Amino acid sequence: MQPDGQITRFAPSPTGPLHLGHAYSALIAASHGRSGQFLLRIEDIDQTRCTPAFEAQIYDDLHWLGLVWPTPVMRQSDRRPAYHAALRKLNGLGVLYPCRCTRGDIRAALSAPQEGAAMIGPDGVVYPGTCRGRAMSDAGAADALRLDMRRALSLVGFVGFVENGPLYGGHHRLDGDHMIANIGDVVLSRRDMGTSYHLSVVVDDAAQDITEVTRGADLFDATAIHALLQALLELPQPTYWHHDLIRDESGKRLAKRDDARALSTYRAAGASPADIRAMVNL
Ligand code: GLU
């Protein structure tokens, strides 16, 4: 079924060139959003990795593909007050705690003999909970803020999301045990940024009245985090369209760094927008 009248978005981070997977996401979102209802958002919270050159290339590649969107575009680097307000609300619910652990601390905690095998969640290894007992009154500039997943789940009743895509179509109810074991206490505010991908994407999809989010199937567990945050923050919930991942001939996922698959590389080799559509089966 083709959803109608949706407000959709493509939300790339200018940390590398767009590749075929991005084109796939953007083309699906644009076809569901139609003119004026397809938005572009620049997810540039990680200022150490984003560059103006990658951002310019994103605009150029998307225009070349034939996509149009209203301007000015929303940029996450302009949105800090909105993220801080969301963190204040979550703090009021008592679901945040400060965390000073480095990656090395987390690895060391996970290698302790009493720990089982480390679970890998959407953000890497599932946090072992070392700082969970710390109070927010103790939070300082060197701290990240984490979501206490168990506590957050205990505050919300039935939470789920609606999937429109062909892979997992239907209603999905969050599985609390899975989220505690396989996702865990994710970072909502990174120490160097004052926000995180999960928090920003949820706040911004609501601010832009997005009704359908198109993204890769690798973000399915991330969507569960987003549904939980939408419930905690009392934000309207879009529906989701998780698409299959574009892989190379050996079955390996295309990473942004894989310049060989960058749209700009295909363009330089003479490919047309129709060729790109054909490569992603659209
Ligand atoms: N900035 C994210 C990315 O480029 C957006 C993904 C999403 O939330 O749909 O992967």
Side-chain angles (χ1 to χ4, degrees):
M1 188 185 67
Q2 183 80 334
D4 213 15
Q6 304 274 18
I7 304 177
T8 62
R9 52 55 162 193
F10 179 56
S13 297
T15 54
L18 295 185
H19 58 62
L20 283 181
H22 291 108
Y24 190 33
S25 255
L27 287 166
I28 295 172
S31 73
H32 292 181
R34 318 219 190 281
S35 126
Q37 306 264 284
F38 165 70
L39 309 183
L40 179 66
R41 182 170 71 228
I42 297 296
E43 302 217 321
D44 58 349
I45 56 172
D46 190 344
Q47 289 286 316
T48 62
R49 293 175 58 224
C50 295
T51 71
F54 284 134
E55 187 173 328
Q57 181 78 52
I58 286 171
Y59 297 136
D60 193 55
D61 282 341
L62 295 177
H63 280 135
W64 176 80
L65 275 176
L67 303 185
V68 287
W69 55 88
T71 54
V73 300
M74 182 180 277
R75 309 167 60 82
Q76 291 194 322
S77 52
D78 294 333
R79 302 266 304 144
R80 288 180 198 277
Y83 308 143
H84 290 165
L87 287 169
R88 272 197 302 279
K89 179 158 180 154
L90 293 171
N91 189 30
L93 295 173
V95 295
L96 299 181
Y97 64 86
C99 174
R100 209 163 285 171
C101 292
T102 62
R103 279 174 211 270
D105 294 335
I106 295 172
R107 264 198 308 274
L110 285 167
S111 62
Q114 69 274 17
E115 293 288 336
M119 293 299 305
I120 305 296
D123 294 346
V125 289
V126 173
Y127 182 61
T130 319
C131 287
R132 197 177 292 127
R134 288 182 58 202
M136 280 298 284
S137 52
D138 179 37
D143 288 306
L145 300 180
R146 287 187 182 272
L147 179 71
D148 183 331
M149 181 61 79
R150 187 181 293 275
R151 199 167 151 67
L153 286 163
S154 76
L155 296 185
V156 296
F158 173 87
V159 179
F161 59 92
V162 176
E163 169 72 32
N164 286 334
L167 290 181
Y168 314 114
H171 290 251
H172 294 274
R173 182 183 184 141
L174 299 194
D175 175 343
D177 291 338
H178 171 82
M179 292 185 72
I180 290 165
N182 297 60
I183 298 175
D185 294 355
V186 289
V187 169
L188 293 188
S189 173
R190 286 170 58 175
R191 87 192 84 226
D192 44 342
M193 293 177 203
T195 186
S196 66
Y197 159 63
H198 299 302
L199 185 76
S200 300
V201 82
V202 161
V203 169
D204 291 344
D205 283 336
Q208 295 195 293
D209 296 321
I210 302 299
T211 62
E212 183 186 270
V213 169
T214 304
R215 54 169 58 143
D218 54 330
L219 288 175
F220 196 76
D221 263 354
T223 298
I225 302 170
H226 303 170
L228 176 59
L229 290 176
Q230 284 149 0
L232 293 166
L233 292 167
E234 300 174 289
L235 296 175
Q237 190 178 49
T239 57
Y240 289 87
W241 183 290
H242 292 89
H243 60 73
D244 46 346
L245 300 176
I246 306 292
R247 297 175 188 277
D248 65 15
E249 300 75 19
S250 64
K252 189 169 140 275
R253 263 191 68 193
L254 296 185
K256 276 188 211 175
R257 272 172 236 101
D258 190 345
D259 284 12
R261 307 289 159 155
L263 289 182
S264 48
T265 308
Y266 288 110
R267 289 176 64 181
S272 69
D275 294 331
I276 301 295
R277 283 177 184 270
M279 284 181 221
V280 297
N281 289 322
L282 284 176

